[in-house]
Amino acid sequence: MAPIPGSGLAKGLAVTLRTMTRKSVTAQYPDTQPALPPRSRGVIGLFEENCTVCMLCARECPDWCIYIDSHKETVPPAAPGGRERSRNVLDRFAIDFSLCMYCGICIEVCPFDALFWSPEFEYAETDIRDLTHERDKLREWMWTVPAPPALDPGAEEPKEIAAARKTAEKLAAAQAEPRTDPQEGQP
Ligand code: SF4
Ligand code: SF4
């Protein structure tokens, strides 16, 4: 059967009308900020006080975009007669976000909780070299990391808190005990 003349045009107009009356899903960024989940993977923050320069993150990074430099320092013995110890001191910690693929492996493998996700994502640069963030910049990102979610009220207490509570209770009990005078009862 031959198509009715003009039916194609009518169909096309119907599609146009339908689309025009539908709510738009296009976000007008940057005039409208996107509503991202609070724990989005935006950028990585470094809490360098926790970093022991174990190099695990740099070794596991699939893109090899974490650069760490360090040197060894000798620490004097804690007690007289003890042995001197050596420890790693961080000289450089940088992440090249032009290579990073935001896999999160570095954050997962860090055994000392020194790396965290921040939801900040507005750090585009016109020069690609500026996408290598050095330790000061990574520390600034640290202050934009959201607080961890509250513990489930029914969850088992973390063992660190339980151990700290036991120690505090022992101390309090020791302080509450009446002191016995060594001279007491002597003639
Ligand atoms: S998120 Fe992945 S790619 Fe980016 S620095 Fe960490 S390990 Fe490397
Ligand atoms: S894995 Fe953690 S502690 Fe080890 S070098 Fe990386 S950030 Fe520092």
Side-chain angles (χ1 to χ4, degrees), residues 2 24 36-37 39 48 52 55-56 71 82 88 90 105-106 115 144 147 162 164 167-168 178-179 182 184:
S24 169
L36 297 174
R39 309 199 79 78
E48 66 176 65
T52 59
M55 302 296 284
L56 215 54
H71 67 274
N88 294 320
L90 191 65
I105 290 176
C106 54
L115 295 171
T144 62
T167 313
R179 290 219 177 133
E184 216 173 87

Side-chain angles (χ1 to χ4, degrees), residues 97-112:
F97 286 103
S98 69
L99 294 176
C100 174
M101 60 175 178
Y102 301 87
C103 63
I105 290 176
C106 54
I107 295 171
E108 293 294 325
V109 298
C110 176
F112 302 102

Side-chain angles (χ1 to χ4, degrees), residues 53-61 66 68 105-106 109-112:
V53 200
C54 69
M55 302 296 284
L56 215 54
C57 55
R59 258 188 270 138
E60 295 294 324
C61 172
I66 301 180
I68 302 176
I105 290 176
C106 54
V109 298
C110 176
F112 302 102

Side-chain angles (χ1 to χ4, degrees), residues 8-181:
L9 178 66
K11 266 189 202 164
L13 283 173
V15 171
T16 308
L17 268 175
R18 227 182 12 249
T19 313
M20 278 173 70
T21 50
R22 234 183 249 154
K23 195 170 174 280
S24 169
V25 291
T26 311
Q28 298 300 323
Y29 178 81
D31 298 328
T32 311
Q33 286 292 316
L36 297 174
R39 309 199 79 78
S40 303
R41 297 182 176 197
V43 72
I44 297 168
L46 167 72
F47 190 59
E48 66 176 65
E49 285 77 2
N50 280 2
C51 178
T52 59
V53 200
C54 69
M55 302 296 284
L56 215 54
C57 55
R59 258 188 270 138
E60 295 294 324
C61 172
D63 289 352
W64 291 82
C65 62
I66 301 180
Y67 313 119
I68 302 176
D69 288 333
S70 68
H71 67 274
K72 282 206 184 298
E73 240 179 40
T74 307
V75 183
R83 271 205 345 216
E84 283 182 340
R85 288 168 299 131
S86 74
R87 71 177 173 111
N88 294 320
V89 179
L90 191 65
D91 293 324
R92 183 187 183 210
F93 196 113
I95 300 178
D96 184 350
F97 286 103
S98 69
L99 294 176
C100 174
M101 60 175 178
Y102 301 87
C103 63
I105 290 176
C106 54
I107 295 171
E108 293 294 325
V109 298
C110 176
F112 302 102
D113 280 347
L115 295 171
F116 296 86
W117 279 121
S118 153
E120 290 294 321
F121 65 94
E122 292 180 305
Y123 52 94
E125 300 286 355
T126 49
D127 186 337
I128 198 168
R129 288 168 295 185
D130 294 337
L131 279 171
T132 300
H133 294 192
E134 297 290 337
R135 65 198 275 190
D136 293 342
K137 186 83 182 151
L138 296 175
R139 175 186 278 281
E140 274 174 37
W141 290 130
M142 196 55 222
W143 313 134
T144 62
V145 173
L151 285 180
D152 184 334
E156 198 179 304
E157 189 175 50
K159 59 181 187 305
E160 293 85 357
I161 295 182
R165 192 200 318 286
K166 264 189 200 162
T167 313
E169 281 169 3
K170 264 190 207 164
L171 272 174
Q175 279 169 3
E177 262 177 28
R179 290 219 177 133
T180 47
D181 188 349

